[in-house]
Amino acid sequence: KSREGANPRPKGEVDVDEHNAAMRTGFAARTRPKVGQAKRRVAKSRATGQGGPSEEKTDWKETEFATKFKEMFAPGSNKKIVYGVFQQDVDTNDVPEEEERTRRIEKATKELTNIDQDERGRRMKVGQVGLASTVVLAAALLVTGAPYYWRAAIYFPLSLSLGFIDSGRTGL
């Protein structure tokens, strides 16, 4: 079919302006390229909700997950992470002086750690309790003759426990 008053373009090529207009109205025409002919891809932007060339990728820092993460763990909010996932208010009396903070930052940078000794101990404790519980669960499943898929399910608590132990050991 010929389009009246429009510039002709090769079949299968997508006009970005037409695509954007179609995305806004909800009516998008589908075009198929000829065999061997590349189609210009158009992707919907997560940030704006508008269509556009696929080269316009959303920066990972602008995603909904990143935004929610920044809200939950905002720097300077006087909170600290406890047991790997929970937040606790920081007692301002426990905050060290500037000199001590600088020393701790340098030490953490040198050792490539980002959690303190207290948190490392808590994570080790959680990992050890989880590992002991997983061993008891595995033994119970073996003794009772549980099906293989129930025995395979211990992978998840085992992995979580080992992750906490490793986090406590490495400080990451």
Side-chain angles (χ1 to χ4, degrees):
K1 295 179 180 180
S2 67
R3 299 180 326 161
E4 295 177 22
N7 292 332
R9 66 173 183 270
K11 228 180 190 182
E13 186 176 309
V14 175
D15 183 356
V16 174
D17 293 330
E18 278 184 13
H19 177 77
N20 288 343
M23 292 303 289
R24 281 191 296 275
T25 61
F27 298 102
R30 293 189 173 207
T31 59
R32 291 187 129 174
K34 290 182 181 176
V35 175
Q37 181 184 22
K39 180 171 137 180
R40 189 170 169 197
R41 295 189 158 215
V42 178
K44 187 174 182 179
S45 169
R46 291 182 187 171
T48 63
Q50 300 291 319
S54 60
E55 293 85 37
E56 296 177 16
K57 293 183 180 173
T58 303
D59 188 14
W60 68 270
K61 295 176 185 174
E62 299 172 3
T63 63
E64 288 180 36
F65 178 77
T67 304
K68 189 53 102 175
F69 193 84
K70 286 178 192 173
E71 287 174 13
M72 290 172 50
F73 304 106
S77 62
N78 293 331
K79 302 265 187 199
K80 66 179 180 179
I81 306 299
V82 184
Y83 294 106
V85 289
F86 302 111
Q87 290 187 14
Q88 187 178 58
D89 291 329
V90 174
D91 184 9
T92 54
N93 297 327
D94 293 341
V95 176
E97 297 296 323
E98 188 67 33
E99 238 176 67
E100 175 65 14
R101 288 179 23 205
T102 305
R103 187 190 66 72
R104 288 182 183 184
I105 290 170
E106 288 172 358
K107 181 181 177 191
T109 304
K110 181 180 163 194
E111 295 175 359
L112 297 176
T113 60
N114 64 353
I115 58 175
D116 63 2
Q117 288 296 342
D118 294 339
E119 178 63 14
R120 290 171 84 168
R122 285 189 290 266
R123 291 186 189 191
M124 283 294 286
K125 189 185 305 180
V126 168
Q128 291 166 348
V129 168
L131 184 60
S133 302
T134 303
V135 168
V136 169
L137 176 63
L141 290 172
L142 286 173
V143 169
T144 60
Y148 72 91
Y149 47 86
W150 283 108
R151 292 190 315 254
I154 67 164
Y155 169 78
F156 299 106
L158 177 66
S159 298
L160 189 63
S161 300
L162 294 176
F164 269 96
I165 289 172
D166 192 45
S167 179
R169 187 179 52 78
T170 62
L172 295 174

